[in-house]
């Protein structure tokens, strides 16, 4: 079973049970195996996909949506009637073979150009077991916009328990697992963002230690979960980063619930190597007019035919 695609479908179907999910694989044999495995699920498959996915061999969420797997690439194999419904594409670890910036940007333009107006592309990288994720969020602007897409945000996720086991909060995992558009390249705005984030981690270390000592003094006997110390440090560093980041580099969303999970959302980042003024114009065109909102609410729940694509099934 293509675990990552099924996990994506599971998360979507919990709140949008009518969403159709399509997994696209460039290897025809792998695509055929994934399709067959999904059609012919066994009890062992359900166990692999996690205890919250099924109960006694039955799905625990409504399955009004559908899912299938197809062979294809960035020019997605979709029927004409499906194309207007594509609201989101996830493409993880699929640009690693691209050496040049031009190739990466062309891939972004190609995929975003196939989205419905206001649709979003999530393209990025992760380590093999998903302990770190770094993703570009690219949104298609209204028809007739001057730019092909808006670089709306970058999203980072870290496994804080792993960092706790390895000795504390560090951003080395982020630097080692950047999307291909940034990995191993010199990009001034992003390097400055990462430098400020590292400084925020360092500056918040003292406050983190004081809070941990205070909690250990007042909370004896209540017990702390593994990773609580790193979790608190990540929250403090995220707040400090939001204070330190200049407006020209965008803004960091300070939402404690997200930070406690090891998630950080950087809104309005400069597109790597792009024209900052052009990006600002495109953002202005999208703001307040998109059919898919920029927050976590997503498309209207009343939409009867939404389509999500996973170009990184595996």
């Amino acid at each position: 079973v293509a675990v990552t695609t099924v996990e994506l479908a599971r998360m979507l179907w919990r709140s949008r049970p009518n969403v159709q999910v399509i997994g696209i694989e460039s290897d025809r044999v792998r695509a055929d195996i994934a399709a067959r495995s999904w059609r012919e699920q066994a009890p062992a498959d359900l166990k692999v996909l996690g205890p919250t996915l099924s109960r006694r061999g039955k799905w625990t969420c409504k399955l009004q949506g559908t899912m299938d797997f197809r062979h294809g690439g960035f020019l997605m194999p979709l029927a004409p009637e499906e194309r207007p419904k594509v609201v989101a594409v996830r493409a993880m670890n699929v640009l690693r073979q691209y050496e040049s910036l031009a190739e990466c940007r062309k891939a972004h333009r190609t995929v975003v150009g196939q989205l419905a107006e206001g649709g979003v592309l999530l393209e990025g990288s992760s380590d093999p077991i998903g302990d770190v994720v770094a993703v570009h969020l690219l949104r298609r602007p209204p028809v007739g916009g001057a730019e092909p897409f808006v670089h709306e945000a970058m999203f980072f996720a870290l496994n804080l328990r792993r960092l706790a086991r390895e000795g504390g909060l560090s951003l080395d995992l982020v630097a080692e697992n950047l999307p291909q558009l940034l990995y191993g390249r010199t990009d001034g705005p992003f390097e400055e963002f990462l430098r400020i984030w590292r400084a925020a981690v360092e500056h918040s270390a003292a406050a983190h230690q004081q809070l941990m000592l205070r909690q250990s003094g007042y909370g004896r006997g209540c017990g702390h979960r593994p990773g609580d110390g790193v979790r608190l440090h990540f929250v403090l560093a995220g707040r400090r980063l939001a204070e330190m980041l200049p407006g020209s580099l965008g803004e960091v969303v300070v939402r404690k619930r997200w930070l406690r999970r090891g998630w950080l959302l950087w809104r309005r980042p400069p597109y790597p190597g792009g024209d900052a003024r052009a990006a600002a114009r495109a953002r202005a065109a999208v703001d307040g007019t998109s059919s898919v909102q920029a927050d976590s609410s997503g498309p209207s729940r009343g939409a009867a035919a939404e389509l999500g694509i996973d170009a990184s099934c595996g």
Side-chain angles (χ1 to χ4, degrees):
V1 175
V3 175
T4 57
T5 304
V6 176
E7 287 178 340
L8 172 64
R10 178 186 66 183
M11 290 185 287
L12 291 173
W13 288 338
R14 283 175 175 170
S15 57
R16 288 162 171 55
N18 59 344
V19 171
Q20 179 183 1
V21 178
I22 299 174
I24 296 178
E25 169 59 56
S26 59
D27 185 309
R28 185 180 297 276
V29 174
R30 285 169 54 91
D32 290 343
I33 292 173
R36 185 169 61 253
S37 298
W38 174 247
R39 291 194 303 267
E40 303 171 359
Q41 292 177 84
D45 296 322
L46 295 175
K47 291 180 181 179
V48 168
L49 299 174
T52 61
L53 187 61
S54 66
R55 182 176 301 161
R56 296 180 181 177
K58 297 182 179 180
W59 289 87
T60 57
C61 56
K62 296 180 181 179
L63 294 181
Q64 298 172 12
T66 60
M67 180 165 63
D68 62 351
F69 296 87
R70 303 175 187 178
H71 170 252
F74 292 131
L75 291 175
M76 296 180 288
L78 302 172
E81 62 272 16
E82 291 175 328
R83 293 190 177 276
K85 305 172 186 176
V86 180
V87 296
V89 173
R90 181 181 70 171
M92 294 297 298
N93 302 316
V94 296
L95 296 185
R96 288 180 171 176
Q97 73 275 21
Y98 287 6
E99 296 294 335
S100 71
L101 287 172
E103 289 177 307
C104 295
R105 293 169 182 159
K106 181 180 179 181
H108 285 170
R109 292 194 300 270
T110 298
V111 176
V112 174
Q114 298 171 80
L115 295 170
E117 182 178 320
V120 64
L121 165 64
L122 297 95
E123 185 277 316
S125 296
S126 69
D127 71 342
I129 57 177
D131 280 347
V132 58
V133 175
V135 180
H136 296 289
L137 279 75
L138 307 175
R139 191 177 295 275
R140 181 169 182 174
V143 175
E147 303 300 327
F149 56 78
V150 176
H151 192 211
E152 189 166 285
M154 283 198 73
F155 173 75
F156 304 91
L158 284 166
N159 183 336
L160 301 182
R161 292 193 177 190
R162 171 178 170 178
L163 293 178
R165 292 194 301 268
E166 295 180 352
L169 181 58
S170 168
L171 300 182
D172 290 346
L173 272 178
V174 173
E176 295 166 1
N177 292 276
L178 292 172
Q180 190 65 12
L181 198 60
L182 292 169
Y183 183 76
R185 309 183 194 278
T186 300
D187 182 78
F190 181 79
E191 289 183 343
E192 180 64 6
F193 170 81
L194 192 58
R195 184 195 66 79
I196 296 173
W197 194 1
R198 290 186 188 275
V201 170
E202 182 178 350
H203 292 169
S204 59
H208 160 250
Q209 291 175 357
Q210 291 176 1
L211 284 172
M212 288 302 295
L213 287 172
R214 188 180 308 166
Q215 289 181 3
S216 65
Y218 287 105
R220 290 173 182 169
C222 64
H224 292 287
R225 294 179 298 175
D228 278 353
V230 171
R231 183 176 295 109
L232 176 58
H233 193 179
F234 191 87
V235 171
L236 295 174
R239 291 172 175 171
R240 181 63 174 155
L241 172 61
E243 296 171 355
M244 297 172 64
L245 194 69
S248 60
L249 290 180
E251 64 176 338
V252 170
V253 175
V254 180
R255 188 170 294 183
K256 186 176 180 180
R257 183 179 178 183
W258 291 2
L259 293 173
R260 284 182 55 81
R261 290 176 177 264
W263 300 349
L264 187 132
L265 185 67
W266 176 23
R267 296 188 66 239
R268 301 195 301 274
Y271 185 67
D275 183 342
R277 290 175 297 179
R281 290 196 299 270
R283 281 197 297 266
V286 169
D287 186 27
T289 63
S290 171
S291 61
V292 183
Q293 297 301 313
D295 61 18
S296 59
S297 60
S300 168
R301 290 180 183 268
E306 300 170 344
L307 185 61
I309 307 293
D310 183 17
S312 49
C313 65

